[in-house]
Amino acid sequence: MRELGAPQIAEYEPEVRGLAAIHVGTTGICDFVGVARQLAGSSGADIRYGARLVRVDRRPEFGVAVETARGEVVRARVMVNCAGLHCDEVARLTGDDPGMRIVPFRGEYYELARPGLVRGLVYPVPDPAFPFLGVHLTRGIDGGVHIGPNAVPALAREGYGWGTVRPRELAGTLTWPGSWHMAGRHWRYGAGELRRSVSKSAFTSAVRRLLPAVTSDDLVPAAAGVRAQAVLRDGTLVDDFLIREGARTVHVLNAPSPAATACLPIGREVARRALAALAAAG
Ligand SMILES: Cc1cc2nc3c(=O)[nH]c(=O)nc-3n(C[C@H](O)[C@H](O)[C@H](O)COP(=O)(O)OP(=O)(O)OC[C@H]3O[C@@H](n4cnc5c(N)ncnc54)[C@H](O)[C@@H]3O)c2cc1C
């Protein structure tokens, strides 16, 4: 890593402005679908797509049986729950109290119409009070540049637009005490994010702090993503990995931006805990 003063930033990113920067020469981007296919193909695992778990029957002395929405039953000696946006619900299906709730935050993105303005990956200094990165510039493997995300409350766990509302899921968020503690503490930050969601010019101003050459015509709306943010009962936004074990179960309750390069060590850690759960079950 190399520290850069303001004039040196231009050596790497001629259009980006800042008071100072850290250049990380080893960072990179990859085709994550390709990585996932490779891991799946070489693992020897039996992967069932579109199989939604709806019921769990756990007998600590025998094992775990899970039922899918299609009525299939899968039996195992240990279950690993890494259900992302639904991991707290799946934990509760096993009978374990996860002690947290997933509060979904939608991140909205724009595509840069002039991708030549950015050469690599550019991140602002993160606010340590939040697990969100802030609006950043990301060059993808296709050469396009994504700009975003902001972070606005999603009205459903898979609420990729303001129009997707799931009353049961929304009620789950609103009845969780942590949501209100979080809102009371961070409403000012949230208001700024909402403003950037409804006003393209407010979003453009945020981007211009890093990339002054950008105009609102350069920003083409792109698909949004939903972040599965784990929130504790006291309103703490969990910003690190959160993995909890129950009898014959390992619950991965927060897995923030692990990056493709970290998948293997994280997988090993989860496997170690699964083996420990198996040993504990005798
Ligand atoms: C727009 C966006 C961009 C991102 N970019 C990056 C990046 O560049 N680098 C990075 O490191 N991270 C990035 N992240 C973060 C990263 O995607 C997450 O941290 C990571 O995917 C979390 O992994 P997970 O396994 O916990 O959950 P997920 O990847 O969400 O996987 C959960 C899986 O469980 C399945 N599932 C849920 N419920 C059930 C059920 N009842 N039965 C069966 N299956 C179920 C889901 O279908 C899904 O396949 C990004 C996130 C977003 C939203």
Side-chain angles (χ1 to χ4, degrees):
M1 286 195 266
R2 194 181 150 209
E3 254 186 81
L4 307 176
Q8 293 163 306
I9 294 175
E11 286 173 31
Y12 298 95
E13 292 286 352
E15 297 292 340
V16 171
R17 297 288 175 276
L19 298 174
I22 298 170
H23 178 250
V24 184
T26 52
T27 198
I29 52 175
C30 67
D31 171 4
F32 192 71
V33 173
V35 172
R37 278 212 185 99
Q38 185 63 34
L39 289 174
S42 58
S43 69
D46 171 16
I47 297 177
R48 302 184 193 195
Y49 295 104
R52 186 165 59 87
L53 174 154
V54 290
R55 210 163 71 85
V56 181
D57 182 9
R58 181 177 55 176
R59 309 263 165 95
E61 58 290 11
F62 300 114
V64 191
V66 303
E67 189 181 335
T68 70
R70 293 192 293 236
E72 296 168 317
V73 175
V74 181
R75 292 190 165 76
R77 286 184 289 163
V78 180
M79 168 182 152
V80 176
N81 158 23
C82 46
L85 282 162
H86 299 278
C87 64
D88 54 341
E89 296 171 334
V90 169
R92 280 196 300 278
L93 285 178
T94 67
D96 291 334
D97 174 10
M100 45 63 78
R101 188 68 62 103
I102 290 295
V103 175
F105 281 92
R106 189 172 65 253
E108 293 157 328
Y109 286 85
Y110 286 92
E111 184 87 28
L112 187 59
R114 289 188 289 156
L117 291 176
V118 179
R119 290 184 179 170
L121 310 175
V122 182
Y123 295 85
V125 178
D127 182 336
F130 299 100
F132 307 113
L133 280 173
V135 168
H136 51 276
L137 318 169
T138 321
R139 180 171 282 275
I141 52 165
D142 58 358
V145 173
H146 261 80
I147 301 189
N150 54 4
V152 293
L155 304 178
R157 296 209 177 201
E158 283 159 66
Y160 294 98
W162 283 118
T164 309
V165 185
R166 297 236 163 78
R168 189 187 61 81
E169 294 179 0
L170 189 55
T173 299
L174 295 177
T175 52
W176 177 242
S179 304
W180 295 98
H181 291 305
M182 176 184 66
R185 230 175 274 159
H186 301 308
W187 65 270
R188 201 183 294 274
Y189 179 92
E193 294 291 306
L194 283 172
R195 202 168 139 253
R196 282 186 281 280
S197 173
V198 292
S199 156
K200 192 177 178 189
S201 73
F203 194 98
T204 311
S205 305
V207 180
R208 284 170 61 92
R209 290 189 63 205
L210 280 177
L211 195 63
V214 147
T215 66
S216 108
D217 289 343
D218 289 321
L219 301 182
V220 181
V226 181
R227 180 192 174 112
Q229 178 61 50
V231 178
L232 304 184
R233 188 172 279 278
D234 67 0
T236 303
L237 299 163
V238 183
D239 60 4
D240 201 352
F241 279 79
L242 178 64
I243 305 178
R244 289 193 169 140
E245 286 102 329
R248 290 186 182 268
T249 45
V250 179
H251 303 290
V252 180
L253 302 171
N254 204 48
S257 295
T261 42
C263 285
L264 289 175
I266 294 163
R268 271 187 215 112
E269 173 62 20
V270 172
R272 189 189 66 73
R273 291 182 189 231
L275 290 172
L278 189 59

